[in-house]
Amino acid sequence: MKTGVNKLSVASTSALVLTYVKSLYEEGLGKAYLSHIDFSQVKGLADELSRITPLFREALLIRKRIIRQIIRQLMTQHPRPQICILAAGLDPLGLQITEYFPDRDLTIYEVDSSNMREKQEIYAAIHFSDERLHTLQADINNTAQLMRTLADAGYDPQQPALIIFEGIMHYISEEQFLSIMRNFTSSSKQNAVIMDYMEYAEGLPVGSVSKATEMLDTMESYIGSRLQQFSRKKILNLLSLLDADLIEVYDMQAAELALNGQNRVYKGERKGMLEIISFHI
């Protein structure tokens, strides 16, 4: 069905990621949502990254699938009335969460410094109007603005929350990460966080390092800045500064096994550059 809203033309990393994971949105509102995004501005980069290594697409698909699985697990085990999706971008994760929990009394906050007006226009075009989802504009690195914007929309720091921090660690410093997370710490550690980070390419099997380095160089040229990489030890050290309690951590091999019951892509020494971690704060 045609709508009166034109497709968006967005050159952004969130649009780039969505080009690789369209298979996650093959029906329902997710499919309708993606039909309103014009990916032509990122097609060239997507093709170039696919040429360098097909593992880029596989890693993004696994990352998104395992994060969604962890969301469902945590919300089933310990239901939380609030979900904050930080630096939400164009990803329709908030929309999907409303579909995962159609009858759950919860509030979802999507926050980013850009794309939020466009996102609201798409929601209107596909007739999505779930009042539990709030799309907010704020810079997550301006923590005073972030928390004020959340509070104005109804966020209650006294109530348990699930914080989604997907695809962010590559672009911020350790100090920025700690500054953001300290706004969500609680004495009872009632809040849970799900996030991913990129490991150093040097830790990959010998045959994969050159392709990973080429992929990083291409991405950095596109965004105009360096991508942040971490060791698992470094991430755990950062969490210790928050007095966080680890829930679980997956490399790509472990995530693929948890999702599919077998390893088709990540086998042997191949662990991948992305890891996904969850913790209580």
Side-chain angles (χ1 to χ4, degrees), residues 48-250:
E48 177 64 11
L49 292 170
S50 295
R51 179 196 64 77
I52 295 170
T53 173
L55 286 181
F56 188 69
R57 175 182 179 275
E58 296 292 345
L60 292 176
L61 275 169
I62 289 173
R63 182 185 84 180
K64 287 203 171 293
R65 288 181 61 205
I66 196 69
I67 285 176
R68 282 152 175 75
Q69 178 169 296
I70 297 170
I71 289 170
R72 290 192 291 265
Q73 289 173 345
L74 289 179
M75 290 296 289
T76 299
Q77 295 165 359
H78 303 286
R80 292 172 171 84
Q82 305 175 113
I83 299 179
C84 298
I85 308 172
L86 303 184
L90 288 171
D91 193 320
L93 175 58
L95 183 155
Q96 285 190 308
I97 291 174
T98 66
E99 294 183 313
Y100 294 157
F101 307 106
D103 302 316
R104 183 74 60 85
D105 183 15
L106 57 81
T107 308
I108 305 162
Y109 303 98
E110 295 183 309
V111 189
D112 208 330
S113 59
S114 61
N115 295 326
M116 295 300 95
R117 180 181 59 80
E118 293 88 349
K119 208 168 193 180
Q120 290 171 338
E121 290 177 356
I122 298 177
Y123 289 156
I126 65 174
H127 307 294
F128 173 73
S129 59
D130 194 314
E131 294 182 353
R132 296 176 298 169
L133 179 62
H134 299 260
T135 304
L136 311 172
Q137 183 157 333
D139 181 355
I140 68 167
N141 288 312
N142 182 339
T143 55
Q145 180 192 64
L146 168 64
M147 301 313 295
R148 183 172 60 251
T149 300
L150 283 170
D152 288 347
Y155 175 77
D156 182 356
Q158 302 304 314
Q159 296 296 317
L162 175 61
I163 314 301
I164 313 299
F165 209 68
E166 181 183 1
I168 306 173
M169 290 297 287
H170 326 316
Y171 308 109
I172 65 174
S173 67
E174 296 171 17
E175 292 76 17
Q176 287 172 314
F177 167 71
L178 292 172
S179 176
I180 294 165
M181 285 298 141
R182 284 180 177 129
N183 289 277
F184 296 99
T185 57
S186 60
S187 58
S188 61
K189 299 184 183 180
Q190 65 181 357
N191 297 329
V193 179
I194 306 171
M195 74 178 202
D196 64 298
Y197 57 91
M198 186 162 51
E199 285 221 310
Y200 293 107
E202 291 78 4
L204 297 176
V206 175
S208 302
V209 173
S210 62
K211 288 184 177 296
T213 301
E214 184 181 359
M215 181 195 72
L216 287 173
D217 289 344
T218 302
M219 278 291 295
E220 288 172 349
S221 175
Y222 170 73
I223 66 174
S225 64
R226 300 289 296 176
L227 292 169
Q228 301 297 320
Q229 300 173 68
F230 302 88
S231 65
R232 184 182 294 188
K233 181 179 179 181
K234 169 61 75 174
I235 291 293
L236 294 177
N237 285 341
L238 289 173
L239 297 190
S240 71
L241 295 176
L242 298 169
D243 194 28
D245 289 341
L246 180 67
I247 300 176
E248 55 192 341
V249 58
Y250 294 94

Side-chain angles (χ1 to χ4, degrees), residues 8-22 34 37-51 56 60 90 115 171 218-219 222-223:
L8 295 176
S9 181
V10 179
S12 69
T13 53
S14 62
L16 174 67
V17 170
L18 286 174
T19 64
Y20 290 101
V21 297
K22 291 179 181 179
L34 258 65
I37 299 177
D38 179 0
F39 295 104
S40 60
Q41 292 189 43
V42 294
K43 184 179 186 304
L45 177 59
D47 290 345
E48 177 64 11
L49 292 170
S50 295
R51 179 196 64 77
F56 188 69
L60 292 176
L90 288 171
N115 295 326
Y171 308 109
T218 302
M219 278 291 295
Y222 170 73
I223 66 174

